[in-house]
């Protein structure tokens, strides 16, 4: 099958280029193996783009992102750019891409491989076979709400958490539809005991649930949800929440799977155009040492093939290869267990390719 799909690769900063390199190798390999007709282009983003162009999201990068069929992003940020003014910080590129491309639906699966149940921070029986999906609203809420700023001569600062019914409804639909394809339960997370924006959130999600009678809907306050995730995570299947709460809960869920280095994510618009990123950040402390785990970036490629290109077989072949390599005891440095078979970032990428069929 040939399709002429274009993928923009944005390695970014820190360990981003290292993990993207492995993901690129895997995508290239699957591309020729299955004759997918995917072409790749690579550009700068984040701190590395700032160094060259004086801004974290140069026009060339944004235009290419708009024109490509899918984007793979490594990570952005690092101590070199921490003191830059807000608009120039590497994170602005990420937020700019999300909002310019209207990537409102962020899918963050937390799946614990059966080969890694010893790596989780929770006891094995609490997390074995964990498979949950956090759906985070990504282009609204307090991250983008106006007004925002610093006032009172720098003595106060403020942000606005705002959601329209329309924004809540569209992320709600993504969540109900995902739940329909899974275990048909959905937990919506908010802070409706304190925030008006959450009262509206709850109301809209509850109304929407009438259109999805086969899905069992529950609501949970975010503080309780954080606690329940570490108390009994297997009670959840699909969770849906706003931008800020989703940021926090997805890091908690990530840790349950043994390492944040394992988790991929997809950020989709209403046409399923997507940006795919490992959930981990740029990890400047380990960058350049071959210590980074490329599996989250490689799984992000699997998500890309599935969600943006509908290439389920090719997607599954990557996931299968990851499981095989883990079952053979190979690990990167972030994963506890098998001390004997520790691999560097690129050795892990090569192993995944060796096992690809
Ligand atoms: C994430 C990250 C980003 C976010 C940062 C880097 C802006 O933490 O994708 O979870 O807060 O959304
Ligand atoms: Mg985060």
């Amino acid at each position: 099958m040939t399709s002429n799909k274009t993928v923009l690769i944005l390695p970014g900063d820190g360990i981003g280029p290292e993990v993207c390199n492995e993901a690129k190798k895997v995508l290239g390999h699957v591309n020729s193996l299955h004759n997918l007709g995917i072409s790749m282009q690579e550009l700068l983003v984040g701190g590395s783009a700032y160094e060259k162009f004086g801004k974290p999201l140069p026009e060339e990068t944004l235009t290419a992102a708009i024109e490509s069929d899918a984007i793979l992003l490594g990570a952005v940020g690092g101590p070199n750019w921490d003191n830059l003014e807000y608009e120039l910080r590497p994170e602005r590129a990420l937020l700019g891409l999300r909002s310019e491309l209207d990537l409102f639906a962020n899918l963050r699966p937390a799946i614990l491989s059966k080969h890694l149940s010893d790596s989780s921070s929770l006891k094995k029986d609490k997390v074995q076979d964990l498979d949950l999906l956090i759906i985070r609203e990504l282009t609204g809420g307090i991250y983008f709400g106006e007004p925002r700023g610093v006032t009172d001569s720098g003595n106060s600062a403020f942000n606005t958490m705002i959601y329209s019914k329309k924004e809540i409804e569209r992320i709600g639909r993504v969540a109900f539809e995902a739940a329909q394809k899974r275990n048909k339960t959905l937990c919506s997370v908010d802070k409706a005991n304190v925030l008006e924006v959450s009262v509206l959130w709850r109301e809209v999600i509850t109304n929407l649930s009438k259109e999805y009678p086969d899905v069992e809907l529950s609501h949970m306050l975010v503080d309780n949800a954080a606690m329940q995730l570490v108390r009994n995570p297997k009670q959840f299947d699909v969770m849906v929440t706003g931008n800020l709460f989703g940021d926090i809960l997805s890091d908690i869920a990530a840790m349950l799977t043994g390492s944040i280095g394992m988790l991929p994510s997809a950020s989709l618009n209403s046409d399923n155009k997507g940006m795919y990123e490992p959930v981990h950040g740029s990890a400047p402390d380990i960058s350049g040492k071959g210590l980074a785990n490329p599996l989250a970036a490689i799984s992000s490629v699997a998500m890309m093939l599935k969600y943006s290109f509908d290439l389920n077989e090719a997607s599954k072949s990557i996931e299968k290869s990851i499981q095989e390599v883990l079952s053979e005891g190979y690990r990167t440095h972030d994963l506890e267990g098998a001390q004997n078979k520790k691999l560097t970032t690129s050795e892990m990428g090569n192993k995944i390719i060796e096992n690809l069929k």
Side-chain angles (χ1 to χ4, degrees):
M1 188 206 312
T2 2
S3 59
N4 299 320
K5 299 282 187 202
T6 56
V7 173
L8 175 65
I9 308 212
L10 302 175
D13 312 317
I15 61 170
E18 293 162 67
V19 297
C20 267
N21 203 32
E22 301 315 306
K24 210 166 66 184
K25 270 159 52 181
V26 171
L27 180 57
H29 193 80
V30 176
N31 191 24
S32 46
L33 208 64
H34 295 258
N35 191 20
L36 305 179
I38 291 175
S39 61
M40 296 180 237
Q41 179 194 4
E42 196 170 312
L43 288 172
L44 293 175
V45 76
S48 52
Y50 170 78
E51 295 301 331
K52 183 148 183 222
F53 300 105
K55 43 176 122 167
L57 182 56
E59 280 81 35
E60 190 194 359
T61 302
L62 179 59
T63 308
I66 293 170
E67 286 169 0
S68 67
D69 295 306
I71 301 154
L72 176 71
L73 187 138
V76 294
N80 292 354
W81 309 289
D82 274 352
N83 297 322
L84 288 177
E85 63 177 275
Y86 177 76
E87 283 303 324
L88 298 177
R89 291 178 61 109
E91 292 78 9
R92 289 302 304 160
L94 199 53
L95 299 173
L97 284 165
R98 288 172 182 174
S99 81
E100 289 292 329
L101 303 179
D102 202 21
L103 306 171
F104 68 94
N106 186 210
L107 274 45
R108 298 193 163 182
I111 301 172
L112 178 64
S113 159
K114 65 173 185 286
H115 310 295
L116 292 182
S117 39
D118 288 328
S119 304
S120 173
S121 48
L122 291 193
K123 292 196 193 86
K124 205 169 173 167
D125 64 305
K126 299 274 182 221
V127 287
Q128 212 155 25
D129 301 318
L130 178 77
D131 179 350
L132 82 91
L133 176 62
I134 296 186
I135 297 186
R136 167 188 178 195
E137 199 293 325
L138 202 60
T139 50
I142 197 165
Y143 271 54
F144 294 93
E146 298 281 349
R148 62 190 296 158
V150 179
T151 180
D152 187 19
S153 317
N155 288 311
S156 302
F158 60 100
N159 292 87
T160 301
M161 193 188 270
I162 181 165
Y163 271 117
S164 66
K165 283 187 174 173
K166 219 169 118 198
E167 285 175 304
I168 302 168
E169 206 180 292
R170 68 175 184 172
I171 192 70
R173 285 195 189 281
V174 172
F176 277 107
E177 280 161 29
Q180 278 182 325
K181 291 190 198 127
R182 295 171 49 110
N183 284 350
K184 300 190 167 50
T185 59
L186 173 63
C187 179
S188 171
V189 178
D190 60 41
K191 189 69 185 172
N193 56 344
V194 178
L195 306 174
E196 284 86 347
V197 60
S198 283
V199 173
L200 182 71
W201 179 282
R202 200 174 271 222
E203 199 181 288
V204 173
I205 297 284
T206 305
N207 280 337
L208 198 58
S209 72
K210 294 178 194 138
E211 292 180 39
Y212 302 89
D214 52 333
V215 175
E216 191 187 320
L217 172 68
S218 61
H219 301 276
M220 199 176 275
L221 297 173
V222 63
D223 49 350
N224 186 24
M227 182 179 78
Q228 295 299 335
L229 269 175
V230 290
R231 194 185 75 92
N232 175 20
K234 284 196 271 182
Q235 69 186 284
F236 299 111
D237 188 54
V238 181
M239 300 174 95
V240 63
T241 190
N243 209 339
L244 179 63
F245 300 156
D247 179 45
I248 299 163
L249 295 180
S250 59
D251 266 23
I252 299 179
M255 205 51 227
L256 305 177
T257 68
S259 166
I260 197 165
M262 293 299 299
L263 287 199
S265 75
S267 307
L268 307 174
N269 72 9
S270 47
D271 301 321
N272 280 343
K273 169 161 177 160
M275 179 159 80
Y276 298 82
E277 305 166 56
V279 169
H280 63 69
S282 58
D285 51 323
I286 60 161
S287 117
K289 300 182 180 153
L291 295 177
N293 183 349
L295 292 179
I298 293 171
S299 305
S300 298
V301 169
M303 282 191 99
M304 174 192 293
L305 296 177
K306 177 171 163 185
Y307 286 97
S308 284
F309 298 151
D310 226 359
L311 295 166
N312 285 319
E313 207 185 310
S315 167
K316 283 208 182 96
S317 73
I318 296 178
E319 274 162 12
K320 205 159 156 250
S321 173
I322 293 176
Q323 291 312 316
E324 260 170 47
V325 169
L326 291 174
S327 80
E328 287 161 15
Y330 294 105
R331 300 287 184 271
T332 41
H333 286 72
D334 52 317
L335 299 170
E336 281 176 26
Q339 258 65 6
N340 314 336
K341 295 183 178 174
K342 283 242 160 98
L343 301 181
T344 64
T345 310
S346 67
E347 285 168 348
M348 182 54 100
N350 294 342
K351 271 275 166 237
I352 300 299
I353 289 171
E354 259 173 50
N355 277 273
L356 270 174
K357 308 227 164 54

